[in-house]
Amino acid sequence: MSNENKVKILIVDDEAGIRDVLSRKLSSAGFQCLTAPDGKDAMKLLKSDRADLVLLDVTMPGKSGAAVLKDIRKKYPDIAVIMVTAVADVQMVINLMKAGAYDYVIKPVELNVLLFSIGRALEKRRLILENREYQLHLEQKVAQQTDKIRQAFLNAITSLANALEAKDKYTHGHSKRVTETAVAIAREMAMAPDTIEKIELAGLLHDIGKIGISEAILNKPAKLTPEEFQHVQLHSEIGGRILKPIIKDKEILAMIRHHHEYYDGSGYPDGLSGGPLTQETGDPAAAKAKSKRLSPCTMALSVADAYDAMTTDRPYRPAMTTEAACAELERDKGKQFCPDTVDAFVRHLGKAGKTI
Ligand SMILES: [Fe+2]
């Protein structure tokens, strides 16, 4: 075995004779040995060289074995330390073990006893290192698995949304386009990255509740009757209900349930409104009212959804131009749409080079 692969033992003892004997015997037993006469030299050596195990004399001039043990544990916690003592004082041994020594041997050292102790200490060290490595990889593995599960879930949901849209040539690609536009608005409004991630999911799923709506009504090539419109309106509530058991994030669920709410409170299903409250009173009723307001991300989704609906062909009308759709958004600022959100969208269109 090359020296590099051998277990390296540092022998620290103030008696040169003991250092030499131990070094010779352990080298013949297959270890690679280093020696130091005191704690100071030992620490210097450990700085420049690797050691797997230290045989540490308890009684030395200068720094005691106990003090050196403390230094080694602090700076090199992966090194196994076996104390070598001439006096078998039970209390002292207990203290050394408490301070992190793996084992102790009594002088004069018997080779068999020492080899047994070294074997045990190295095995314990191996298990500790392995366990740490396992923990580290376990955390990485859990993170990777969580990511995979999330991705698989997203893929499944996206397929579901695609399957839903495939039934209807008019809404083909709607969810994807709405997501892209809502994300662009969110970026324009400097929303936080985790909010944007939520918008991505909500955008893909916002119309998933249409699964529960009659296909004949969804594809009706004419304007809907009031009853039919009421039936279609149920899709945002149904979507929220379908996803509640699998999506725990309240903001995402709120975006799906409320993507047809109006800024002025005249939308559906709950008549929530947007914009800041006129006064912050701090009382619980006011806080509750605030929690019932439309969030900026819901309002971004609502603008994106309406814009895409306007600019694509529908069974009962052709697609509107970008200019006409923007004029519509401007007209409904403060009514259906949040003014700041519409402004952000228009800015985004300008930056994207789309004429408005
Ligand atoms: Fe919708």
Side-chain angles (χ1 to χ4, degrees):
M1 192 192 284
S2 75
N3 271 355
E4 263 316 292
N5 296 328
K6 282 183 181 174
V7 171
K8 215 183 234 187
I9 297 178
L10 170 61
I11 301 156
V12 189
D13 200 302
D14 57 316
E15 284 181 54
I18 292 181
R19 290 200 302 274
D20 291 346
V21 170
L22 287 179
S23 178
R24 225 179 24 249
K25 287 184 174 174
L26 291 176
S27 297
S28 333
F31 297 104
Q32 198 192 342
C33 295
L34 304 164
T35 59
D38 52 33
K40 206 172 152 198
D41 271 28
M43 292 310 285
K44 221 188 271 174
L45 253 173
L46 289 177
K47 216 172 173 183
S48 59
D49 216 329
R50 168 185 71 85
D52 303 300
L53 187 142
V54 175
L55 282 182
L56 186 57
D57 188 16
V58 171
T59 320
M60 290 185 291
K63 243 186 187 179
S64 71
V68 180
L69 169 67
K70 215 171 151 190
D71 290 348
I72 295 176
R73 297 301 303 157
K74 198 174 163 196
K75 281 200 163 169
Y76 310 101
D78 291 344
I79 296 179
V81 181
I82 296 175
M83 304 305 291
V84 184
T85 174
V87 198
D89 174 345
V90 176
Q91 192 51 51
M92 180 193 71
V93 167
I94 290 174
N95 288 344
L96 290 170
M97 301 296 274
K98 272 188 183 165
Y102 275 48
D103 203 359
Y104 72 98
V105 288
I106 309 280
K107 281 182 187 176
V109 178
E110 264 185 57
L111 183 63
N112 282 344
V113 173
L114 179 60
L115 288 178
F116 181 70
S117 175
I118 288 174
R120 218 167 41 175
L122 289 175
E123 178 61 10
K124 185 179 164 190
R125 175 178 180 264
R126 188 183 65 79
L127 290 173
I128 290 173
L129 294 181
E130 249 181 35
N131 191 37
R132 188 182 315 147
E133 190 76 354
Y134 174 74
Q135 291 286 347
L136 192 74
H137 281 124
L138 192 67
E139 276 168 30
Q140 281 172 352
K141 274 222 159 95
V142 169
Q144 277 170 1
Q145 282 304 106
T146 309
D147 227 44
K148 271 190 191 164
I149 291 169
R150 189 181 139 76
Q151 202 47 53
F153 166 67
L154 275 180
N155 290 346
I157 292 289
T158 309
S159 308
L160 200 61
N162 289 343
L164 180 73
E165 288 179 4
K167 290 199 304 184
D168 178 357
K169 70 177 170 137
Y170 293 103
T171 57
H172 185 68
H174 169 73
S175 301
K176 194 165 172 273
R177 288 192 303 272
V178 168
T179 304
E180 285 165 3
T181 306
V183 165
I185 295 173
R187 292 216 169 100
E188 188 60 43
M189 296 181 86
M191 289 189 201
D194 66 320
T195 305
I196 293 179
E197 244 179 65
K198 292 177 189 185
I199 291 175
E200 275 177 309
L201 193 54
L204 286 176
L205 304 176
H206 73 282
D207 272 343
I208 203 84
K210 284 190 177 167
I211 284 175
I213 304 300
S214 148
E215 234 173 285
I217 297 180
L218 285 179
N219 293 325
K220 187 178 169 186
K223 270 213 153 179
L224 302 181
T225 65
E227 293 73 32
E228 287 166 341
F229 188 54
Q230 255 180 6
H231 179 62
V232 171
Q233 284 182 332
L234 290 175
H235 79 276
S236 49
E237 281 181 77
I238 295 173
R241 274 208 304 275
I242 289 175
L243 294 169
K244 208 170 176 185
I246 36 177
I247 293 181
K248 296 294 161 217
D249 190 286
K250 285 190 175 150
E251 246 182 320
I252 296 176
L253 291 175
M255 274 188 266
I256 292 162
R257 183 179 173 90
H258 300 302
H259 71 276
H260 286 292
E261 303 282 5
Y262 282 14
Y263 184 78
D264 65 4
S266 62
Y268 65 87
D270 300 317
L272 302 193
S273 50
L277 287 173
T278 42
Q279 50 181 27
E280 290 277 352
T281 56
D283 72 79
K288 200 175 172 200
K290 191 177 180 185
S291 75
K292 293 279 178 196
R293 313 280 294 178
L294 293 172
S295 68
C297 44
T298 303
M299 294 191 283
L301 186 61
S302 154
V303 168
D305 187 27
Y307 174 78
D308 191 73
M310 287 190 272
T311 52
T312 47
D313 287 329
R314 288 284 139 138
Y316 49 90
R317 59 141 177 85
M320 286 163 79
T321 61
T322 303
E323 291 78 1
C326 284
E328 194 79 18
L329 292 177
E330 290 285 346
R331 219 178 358 258
D332 271 339
K333 258 186 183 178
K335 292 176 228 157
Q336 182 171 349
F337 307 114
C338 162
D340 291 346
T341 313
V342 172
D343 290 347
F345 176 57
V346 171
R347 278 200 309 277
H348 154 70
L349 282 181
K351 285 180 188 169
K354 294 190 182 160
T355 44
I356 48 167

